[in-house]
Amino acid sequence: MGTFASVLATKKIRTHSDRFRANVEGDIENVAGVLKITAIRVHYELKLNPAEEADARWAMENYIEKCPAAMSVTGCIRIEHSLDRIAA
């Protein structure tokens, strides 16, 4: 959430706790006898005005390559992310 919030801030989109949240879930599978995290899904919800939506979509498309956590596991764990606009 922190990296996404930082990228949103460059577009002047506020991410206070009453405006921004994430639901995260993942999959753990038995891979050759070892439990392994194989997927993480992050679903963001953000209160936006219609004028902010394009900038928020741009941030969504560009934050992941700046995220230390995501970059640490890319290639090992599948990461999916999505964003829903909540009317402000």
Side-chain angles (χ1 to χ4, degrees):
M1 283 183 75
T3 302
F4 186 36
S6 294
V7 175
L8 288 165
T10 68
K11 298 294 186 177
K12 308 285 191 256
I13 296 174
R14 295 175 295 151
T15 57
H16 302 294
S17 62
D18 63 326
R19 300 178 54 86
F20 183 49
R21 68 183 236 173
N23 297 307
V24 182
E25 60 181 22
D27 298 331
I28 299 174
E29 298 179 34
N30 183 329
V31 179
V34 177
L35 292 178
K36 181 178 176 183
I37 299 169
T38 57
I40 298 171
R41 289 175 296 284
V42 183
H43 178 72
Y44 295 102
E45 294 177 346
L46 180 61
K47 286 186 182 178
L48 294 167
N49 296 314
E52 297 173 313
E53 192 160 358
D55 284 340
R57 296 282 171 206
W58 175 88
M60 182 69 171
E61 293 170 6
N62 290 285
Y63 86 95
I64 203 118
E65 45 290 331
K66 295 174 176 45
C67 178
M71 292 295 96
S72 295
V73 300
T74 295
C76 301
I77 300 172
R78 185 177 70 252
I79 300 173
E80 301 169 10
H81 55 144
S82 59
L83 173 65
D84 276 338
R85 175 185 170 263
I86 300 170

